[in-house]
Amino acid sequence: MAATSKKKRTAGRILAVGAGLATVGALVAALPAGASGTKGDGNRGRYVDVQLLSFNDLHGNLEPPTGSAGRVTHTHPDGTTRTIDAGGVEYLATHLRQAREGNRYSITAAAGDMVGASPLVSGLFHDEPTIEALNRLKLDVTSVGNHEFDEGAKELARIQNGGCHPTEGCFEKGKRFRGADFPYLAANVTNEKSGKPLLDPYFIWEHKGVRIGFIGVTLEGTANIVSAEGIKGLKFGDEVETINKYTKILERKGVKSIVALLHEGGAPASGSYNYDCDSPGPGDGISGPIVDIAKNVSPQVDALVTGHTHQAYACTIPDPAGKPRTVTSAASFGKLYTDTTLTYDRRSKDIVRTAVSSANHVVTRDVPKAEDMTRLITRWNALAAPIASRPVGYISGDVDNPADAPEKPLGNLIADAQLEGMAPADKGGAQLALMNPGGVRAPLVHKASGAEGDGVVTYGEAYTVQPFTNMMTAVDLTGAQLITTLQQQVSGANQAAPKILQVSKGFTYTLDLTKTGADRIVTSSVKLNGAAIDPSKTYRVAMNEFLAGGGDGFAVLKEHKNKLVGGSDLDVFTAYLAAHSTPAAPLAPPATGRITVVK
C-alpha cells in the first residue's frame, strides 16, 4: 500500500511537488519551446516550475551542532577557503520558509536518519521532539535510514503512527505523541515471511494535475550496522532492484515523474559544500556506493536524493541510457539544504531533465530564529534540564572528532574510558578496547554551551557524544582474530569506505595507505604495550555490543568467546571523566600516535 496523503495533515495544506535534483551548472540547457520558465508560474501553460527542497541525516540535531560538527567549508574561486557556522532547526525552519516564498509548487523531502544518534534534548525523549519539529517544518516525505532502526521496527512504527512510549509513557502531562505527519518510506525493508514492505514503499504527490512519485529505500547493508534484535524478521533488499520495481508500478499508475529518496551516498573529491563534483579534472568527481547505484537505477527515475555518508554534493551521474541525472546530498545535522528547480511537462507528465538546476545552501545562523522552533526547544530543554545540566567532568581544551582523520583524540579518550571501565577482574579483565568510529557522534567543546562555564562537560554534552546507550562487553579474541579485525577495517565490506576503529592506549599498529585492502595493515607492527601480538594467544578485549555482534562489517568479532556484559558505554564514559578531571585539574585532550599512518 502506498502513501498519498496523511490523515493528520491540515486540510488546506499543499502537499508540494518534488521531482529531481541536479548540480549547479550542470545540465544547463534552454527550456523546451513554449516553456514559461517563470518561477512559481502556477497552473498556466504547458510547463510548471517545481521546487524540491531536501536534506538528510538530521539525527535529531534541534540545537545548533557544536564545534567542527556545526561547520561547513566554502571554497572561493581563488581556492582559498572559509568555514561557516551552520545548522539548528530554528535557522533551518527560517531558511526553508524563506526558500518557499513565491513558489506555488514546492515540496520538502528527506533521505533518512532524521532521528537516531540524537543529542539529549531529543534522544532522552526517544526523538519525539524531532518528529514534532519536522511536522512544524512541513516535511512532506522521507525515506528511512539505518538509524531509524536504532530502537527497532516497533519503535519506528510508533514514530510513524504516534502513541506514548511503551515503557516510559507520555513525557508531557496530558499530551499524547501524535507521530509523524509525513510518511516514512521503506520500499526495500520487508517481512521475511510475507515479503510485504514494513512501511509504505512510495508516496504520490498531486497538485493541480501535477503528479510526482517518491520511492524511499535505505541502504541494503542496514542489517550490518544496527542491533540485530530490533530488526529480527526483516529483510533489507537491493536498492536498485527495489527502486526499479516500484518505478514500474508507478508508471502503471500513470506517474511518470519519479524521485528516489535513498539512504546511501558517496564521497566527493572535496569537502567543500560548494564543490563542483562534475568538474572534469583528474581525481575530481564523486566515488562510493551511490555511483554504481545511480548508473543502474531505471532511466525513468528523474533524480536521486541521497544521504548516509554525511557529505555535501550536487552531481550528475549518467543513468543506464547514458543520460545525465542529478544526485544530491546535503551533508548532515541540518547544516545544509538542497534547493532544486525542476520543470514539469503537463503534456508528457514527466520532468524535463535538461532544465533541472540544483544547489546546496548553507543553513546560516545570521537569519531570525523561527519562534515556534525556539518555543519547542525551550519546552523540551526544560524537561531535560535536571539531567542534562549536571556536570560530569572537565576538559582543558576541545577534544575533537575530525571526520577525515583515522585516529581521533575523542576516539582515543572513549577507548581509554572503555578499557578502564572493563579492566578490573570482576568487570571483565580487558587488556585493550576497540571503539567503532561511527559511534562517536560529536566533539567535546571547551566553550560552554549554556550556563555551566567553559571547560565543564555536562551530562547532556556527554550524551551527545555517546547517544546509543550500548552495553559494554569484554570478550576473548585470539591474536589472529585481532589482526583480522584490523584488516576488516580496510577490506571486504569496508574496503571502499574504511572504518578505522579507535583503540585504547598501549595498542599500536601501522596503517599503510600506499597499499590496498587487508595489506594496508602491517601485521608485524601490531603490538600491545610494546609486545608483538601473538596470533595463538588469547586477549581480553572491551567493545560495545554493537561491535561484538559483528556490526560495521567486523564479522570476525562475532567469533568471540566468554562474553561478560558490563555497564553502558555512556556510564563508562562519564565515570572516566569524573575519575580523571576536576575544576582545578581538567582533562587534557589525548595525544594521537597509536595508529601510525603511512601515505
Side-chain angles (χ1 to χ4, degrees):
M1 184 176 179
T4 53
S5 65
K6 186 100 170 163
K7 63 183 179 181
K8 291 182 286 189
R9 289 187 184 280
T10 345
R13 179 175 166 198
I14 292 177
L15 291 187
V17 184
L21 299 108
T23 94
V24 185
L27 304 181
V28 178
L31 290 173
S36 70
T38 304
K39 180 179 179 181
D41 61 355
N43 60 351
R44 299 189 302 273
R46 174 177 170 180
Y47 298 97
V48 177
D49 277 355
V50 175
Q51 180 188 60
L52 175 63
L53 302 175
S54 57
F55 57 98
N56 51 276
D57 296 275
L58 179 65
H59 291 289
N61 277 264
L62 301 181
E63 297 176 293
T66 58
S68 58
R71 302 187 192 109
V72 295
T73 300
H74 177 94
T75 298
H76 298 291
D78 64 0
T80 60
T81 63
R82 67 185 175 100
T83 58
I84 305 169
D85 290 337
V89 295
E90 294 162 293
Y91 305 108
L92 177 62
T94 298
H95 280 279
L96 291 179
R97 290 164 184 172
Q98 290 177 348
R100 292 180 188 129
E101 292 177 4
N103 288 280
R104 296 173 67 179
Y105 292 80
S106 180
I107 190 164
T108 304
D113 278 7
M114 294 296 97
V115 299
S118 304
L120 184 134
V121 69
S122 186
L124 188 64
F125 306 106
H126 299 274
D127 279 313
E128 291 182 18
T130 294
I131 297 301
E132 181 185 343
L134 292 172
N135 289 342
R136 292 177 180 273
L137 275 178
K138 298 191 185 303
L139 179 64
D140 290 297
V141 59
T142 184
S143 64
V144 294
N146 54 286
H147 281 282
E148 263 80 22
F149 293 94
D150 281 349
E151 294 188 50
K154 288 183 179 179
E155 174 64 4
L156 174 55
R158 187 184 77 89
I159 287 292
Q160 176 71 91
N161 300 316
C164 296
H165 193 271
T167 57
E168 297 187 41
C170 298
F171 295 111
E172 294 183 289
K173 188 175 181 180
K175 290 186 179 181
R176 182 180 182 274
F177 175 54
R178 61 186 278 188
D181 287 352
F182 50 90
Y184 264 109
L185 304 183
N188 68 329
V189 186
T190 56
N191 183 289
E192 283 182 331
K193 293 181 179 178
S194 70
K196 293 181 179 179
L198 175 70
L199 296 169
D200 291 323
Y202 60 86
F203 168 79
I204 300 173
W205 179 88
E206 184 170 3
H207 181 59
K208 295 184 178 180
V210 178
R211 302 181 81 203
I212 309 290
F214 290 83
I215 302 168
V217 299
T218 189
L219 69 155
E220 183 180 7
T222 293
N224 297 322
I225 54 176
V226 300
S227 174
E229 186 63 30
I231 58 169
K232 191 177 292 184
L234 294 179
K235 179 182 178 182
F236 293 81
D238 181 85
E239 303 98 331
V240 172
E241 290 178 7
T242 303
I243 293 170
N244 290 348
K245 170 186 173 181
Y246 284 102
T247 296
K248 292 178 180 177
I249 290 174
L250 286 171
E251 287 183 293
R252 288 198 294 269
K253 291 178 176 290
V255 179
K256 296 183 179 180
S257 296
I258 300 172
V259 177
L261 304 177
L262 170 63
H263 192 71
E264 178 61 289
S270 167
S272 294
Y273 80 90
N274 62 329
Y275 167 65
D276 177 7
C277 62
D278 287 337
S279 173
D284 279 353
I286 185 171
S287 60
I290 196 59
V291 177
D292 285 339
I293 291 172
K295 287 180 177 179
N296 288 284
V297 164
S298 168
Q300 187 57 45
V301 174
D302 295 296
L304 285 80
V305 180
T306 73
H308 187 56
T309 57
H310 291 201
Q311 301 295 307
Y313 48 85
C315 300
T316 55
I317 299 174
D319 67 16
K323 295 181 180 179
R325 178 167 51 194
T326 60
V327 181
T328 67
S329 173
S332 63
F333 299 171
K335 292 178 290 190
L336 301 175
Y337 70 93
T338 310
D339 190 340
T340 300
T341 301
L342 310 152
T343 299
Y344 181 89
D345 184 343
R346 290 185 181 277
R347 189 175 299 170
S348 69
K349 300 180 180 179
D350 208 348
I351 298 302
V352 182
R353 279 212 221 154
T354 54
V356 174
S357 64
S358 179
N360 278 321
H361 297 273
V362 181
V363 177
T364 59
R365 302 176 191 170
D366 57 358
V367 297
K369 294 180 180 181
E371 292 181 3
D372 58 334
M373 294 298 176
T374 301
R375 289 193 297 270
L376 182 153
I377 292 169
T378 300
R379 194 178 91 241
W380 286 103
N381 266 333
L383 290 175
I387 297 171
S389 60
R390 176 169 58 88
V392 294
Y394 306 86
I395 52 175
S396 63
D398 290 352
V399 188
D400 215 346
N401 185 44
D404 56 353
E407 182 183 354
K408 313 169 196 296
L410 187 52
N412 286 352
L413 175 59
I414 290 171
D416 289 348
Q418 293 180 349
L419 174 59
E420 183 167 300
M422 301 299 289
D426 62 338
K427 301 291 185 183
Q431 298 166 276
L432 68 137
L434 303 174
M435 174 63 194
N436 54 307
V440 186
R441 304 305 299 184
L444 279 181
V445 179
H446 185 264
K447 183 177 175 60
S449 60
E452 74 275 10
D454 291 350
V456 179
V457 179
T458 65
Y459 183 84
E461 290 166 340
Y463 184 100
T464 298
V465 171
Q466 293 244 267
F468 294 109
T469 318
N470 262 309
M471 301 308 291
M472 290 302 304
T473 69
V475 302
D476 282 353
L477 292 176
T478 66
Q481 289 170 327
L482 261 179
I483 291 171
T484 299
T485 299
L486 298 182
Q487 291 172 331
Q488 288 180 348
Q489 298 177 117
V490 289
S491 64
N494 293 328
Q495 181 152 343
K499 291 186 174 68
I500 306 302
L501 297 168
Q502 305 300 283
V503 299
S504 55
K505 188 175 182 179
F507 188 66
T508 57
Y509 69 95
T510 296
L511 177 67
D512 188 346
L513 297 180
T514 66
K515 297 180 179 178
T516 59
D519 290 340
R520 287 183 161 185
I521 303 301
V522 181
T523 56
S524 61
S525 71
V526 184
K527 296 179 180 179
L528 179 60
N529 299 323
I533 291 293
D534 182 343
S536 62
K537 187 177 176 180
T538 296
Y539 297 86
R540 290 292 283 170
V541 186
M543 65 186 75
N544 59 45
E545 284 208 295
F546 170 71
L547 273 181
D552 271 352
F554 293 97
V556 69
L557 294 180
K558 291 191 289 186
E559 300 172 11
H560 66 259
K561 296 180 179 179
N562 299 325
K563 181 170 77 172
L564 186 147
V565 179
S568 76
D569 53 5
L570 179 59
D571 287 345
V572 165
F573 183 47
T574 56
Y576 186 87
L577 291 172
H580 292 273
S581 66
T582 64
L587 186 69
T592 55
R594 302 172 190 186
I595 304 172
T596 301
V597 180
V598 178
K599 297 182 179 180

